[in-house]
Amino acid sequence: MTGDRASDQAAIRTASCSCGGLRLSFRGEPLRVYACACLECQRATGTAFAYRARFHAEAVVEDVGERRRFRRMADKGHWMDQIFCPTCGTLIYMEAEVMPGALVVSVGCFSDPDFAPPAALFWARRKHGWYELDGAIDQKD
Ligand SMILES: [Zn+2]
Ligand SMILES: [Zn+2]
């Protein structure tokens, strides 16, 4: 099998907003999957933690729909954009000054309960007390 054949057979995953107007498809595996319990992520997602997968921008094979950006300043004054559907408001991905060429996608938008688990939980000290993590998930303060 050639390398080209192998990449042709790589998984294609599609992230979609609630109304289906904004959709992005990615070829291949994410670079990293993580969760974050910081208060900004709790607010942005409206829930106890964010669960995200980072992909190379080059992994995007389909990108459809209108979007809006909300820019916030993160640690040390670097910008971070939350990109959402203007119709339904789903935060489908983020881009960050510190991660050029990458999209950080909300894993829930893939509608795939078998998606890879997070390798780490950032801001673990903000974790809500009611949930416990698998021991394989590295907790980082
Ligand atoms: Zn939508
Ligand atoms: Zn966070």
Side-chain angles (χ1 to χ4, degrees):
M1 187 184 295
T2 68
D4 286 340
R5 278 284 298 280
S7 66
D8 285 348
Q9 292 173 352
I12 304 282
R13 296 185 177 86
T14 300
S16 175
C17 65
S18 292
C19 75
L22 178 55
R23 294 188 310 281
L24 288 94
S25 298
F26 299 85
R27 181 191 298 276
E29 299 307 311
L31 299 169
R32 182 148 174 79
V33 182
Y34 69 92
C36 183
C38 83
L39 298 179
E40 291 291 350
C41 286
Q42 292 192 31
R43 251 192 298 274
T45 60
T47 186
F49 58 91
Y51 174 23
R52 298 198 169 105
R54 188 175 57 185
F55 288 88
H56 265 305
E58 292 159 11
V60 176
V61 292
E62 185 191 31
D63 182 338
V64 179
E66 292 182 30
R67 68 211 66 193
R68 290 189 61 189
R69 284 172 186 266
F70 169 68
R71 176 161 292 187
R72 66 177 167 86
M73 301 315 284
D75 298 342
K76 298 176 183 131
H78 296 293
W79 59 259
M80 186 173 280
D81 283 356
Q82 298 177 179
I83 293 124
F84 58 97
C85 172
T87 301
C88 70
T90 303
L91 195 182
I92 192 162
Y93 67 100
M94 300 176 71
E95 291 177 339
E97 188 174 12
V98 295
M99 286 186 278
L103 279 69
V104 185
V105 186
S106 301
V107 171
C109 293
F110 289 106
S111 301
D112 177 8
D114 294 322
F115 201 93
L121 175 75
F122 293 99
W123 284 89
R125 67 178 179 274
R126 303 287 197 210
K127 185 178 94 57
H128 287 215
W130 56 262
Y131 67 90
E132 293 302 328
L133 298 172
D134 187 302
I137 298 172
D138 190 15
Q139 298 197 43
K140 297 178 184 293
D141 278 338

